[in-house]
Amino acid sequence: MADKSLNKTELVAKVAASTGQSQATVDAVLGGLFEALAESVGSGTKVSIPGWLAVERTHRAARTGRNPQTGATIDIPAGYSVKVSAGSKLKAAAK
């Protein structure tokens, strides 16, 4: 696990510095990117940025779980989850 992190404000500042754009512009673009991701994945459309990442909705079947405090079994309904896969460029950058 990485012991460093980059929050949104720091990311916006870093991208703005490297592109010469204002922080407000970069923030608006990131906001639009996240909105598009949420809308697409929510409707079941896979979003792929070749070499960097892929984001898709996955289905989880209904299952039986256990309450760790009481030990009682509980029914967990079917639902959806999100899968994010790293592309080759992102994997190479992590080495």
Side-chain angles (χ1 to χ4, degrees), residues 21-32:
Q21 299 296 316
S22 71
Q23 288 189 18
T25 301
V26 173
D27 189 48
V29 170
L30 281 180

Side-chain angles (χ1 to χ4, degrees), residues 49-54 85-95:
I49 302 171
W52 291 104
L53 60 92
S85 303
S88 59
K89 292 177 185 177
L90 192 57
K91 288 179 183 178
K95 290 183 179 184

Side-chain angles (χ1 to χ4, degrees), residues 26-93:
V26 173
D27 189 48
V29 170
L30 281 180
L33 171 67
F34 292 133
E35 284 180 28
L37 274 175
E39 182 181 320
S40 296
V41 172
S43 67
T45 303
K46 180 178 180 177
V47 177
S48 179
I49 302 171
W52 291 104
L53 60 92
V55 183
E56 64 185 307
R57 182 171 78 170
T58 59
H59 183 265
R60 286 188 156 179
R63 60 199 185 279
T64 303
R66 187 181 66 83
N67 182 329
Q69 290 183 335
T70 64
T73 59
I74 56 172
D75 291 325
I76 301 171
Y80 294 100
S81 184
V82 176
K83 176 182 173 184
V84 179
S85 303
S88 59
K89 292 177 185 177
L90 192 57
K91 288 179 183 178

